Amino acid sequence: MALIGIMDSGSGGLSVFREIRKVLPQERYVYFADNAHCPYGSKTTDYIQDRLRRITNYFLWRGASVMVLACNTATAAAIEMLRREYPIPFVGMEPAVKPAALGTRTGVIGILATAGTLKGSKYLTTKGRFEGNVRIEEHVGQGFVELVEKGELTGLHAEDVVRKSLVPLLDEGADRIVLGCTHYPFLLDTLRKVAADSGHADVEFIDPAPAVARRLAGILEENGIPLTDGYPGTELLSSGPRDNLIMLACGRDSSLCP
Ligand code: DGL
């Protein structure tokens, strides 16, 4: 019987978890938000690797048969190390550069992500494959993670924060924006409003979460991990305060509630 461990630096990974639940509604899940150590985006690789070892040890102790890093920054810093050191399969986040590059009409795509993700070798390799065919503009979503962790998803202040990182990409001509951090989909309403207010209502935001959910289903099948037979459930855990986690998991999307 599969127990699936899902982690993020905070509540952002719930944007991946809700897609996973659509594909695999009957499984047993433990979601761990490492929000006492959030944001990961400005931390060193060593720091993030140490956090991931601790979280993985906990999931293994709980009997998890697979683990999802629902965090682009943790994937960039630690997934290769985890695959070397631990016996279970790991599913990580993929920056959705390919669908953006294939869909752009202006020939310019924008990437919003944390500093840690943008300097990671996985992103740089993917970027190298597509650069040349399209122009790739990047911006750190400065302050985005903090907004989501506070539950401040809309409003004038959220728009001001989002505008500073998004508008430079739109001004460069980007018509596809990759959400390269799992917190950012929670800001979609604000991202769309700011884009429309600056004359770019037709820009498309690309969230890799549905593809990651399908990848997890494939990994379960490839590894012969049996699906749950009758007792699905979700546990939400955190290393810091739980209020925002519960609000984002249950308040706005009650399907995530056990
Ligand atoms: N959700 C994480 C990511 O996808 C957040 C990063 C952070 O904690 O800075 O990168």
Side-chain angles (χ1 to χ4, degrees), residues 8-9 38-41 71-73 114 117 145 181-183:
D8 178 44
S9 63
C38 186
Y40 277 6
C71 176
N72 295 72
T73 314
T114 69
T117 297
V145 169
C181 168
T182 57
H183 279 73

Side-chain angles (χ1 to χ4, degrees), residues 40-243:
Y40 277 6
S42 50
K43 305 283 194 301
T44 64
T45 300
D46 281 353
Y47 187 97
I48 297 168
Q49 289 190 346
D50 177 57
R51 292 308 304 156
L52 264 295
R53 281 195 184 94
R54 289 166 192 262
I55 296 165
T56 306
N57 289 342
Y58 172 73
F59 279 140
L60 284 181
W61 175 72
R62 291 290 307 270
S65 27
V66 59
M67 185 167 154
V68 180
L69 273 54
C71 176
N72 295 72
T73 314
T75 303
I79 201 162
E80 283 167 25
M81 173 277 288
L82 293 171
R83 285 181 174 145
R84 273 197 311 273
E85 295 185 7
Y86 290 90
I88 57 169
F90 291 89
V91 179
M93 300 304 299
E94 287 283 343
V97 176
K98 185 175 175 181
L102 294 177
T104 178
R105 281 191 286 266
T106 59
V108 185
I109 66 172
I111 317 288
L112 283 171
T114 69
T117 297
L118 293 176
K119 68 174 197 295
S121 63
K122 195 174 177 133
Y123 168 68
L124 293 173
T125 307
T126 311
K127 182 180 163 185
R129 287 220 320 270
F130 292 94
E131 224 170 19
N133 301 331
V134 294
R135 183 149 62 84
I136 301 179
E137 297 290 334
E138 299 158 354
H139 214 291
V140 171
Q142 208 70 56
F144 289 20
V145 169
E146 289 80 355
L147 284 177
V148 175
E149 288 300 311
K150 279 189 290 186
E152 195 184 337
L153 309 182
T154 54
L156 288 179
H157 176 247
E159 286 169 32
D160 276 348
V161 172
V162 162
R163 188 173 298 112
K164 289 191 181 87
S165 299
L166 176 62
V167 169
L169 297 177
L170 301 175
D171 285 347
E172 288 292 338
D175 64 345
R176 295 289 182 281
I177 304 286
V178 175
L179 301 178
C181 168
T182 57
H183 279 73
Y184 300 175
F186 283 111
L187 294 168
L188 252 181
D189 288 346
T190 298
L191 286 158
R192 289 202 180 109
K193 180 164 191 310
V194 168
D197 289 350
S198 62
H200 300 91
D202 54 351
V203 69
E204 241 178 68
F205 294 94
I206 301 178
D207 176 6
V212 172
R214 289 192 297 274
R215 179 80 194 116
L216 172 62
I219 292 272
L220 293 182
E221 204 178 315
E222 281 161 30
N223 287 272
I225 296 170
L227 299 181
T228 309
D229 52 1
Y231 298 100
T234 298
E235 239 179 284
L236 295 174
L237 306 174
S238 62
S239 54
R242 259 165 50 99
D243 292 2

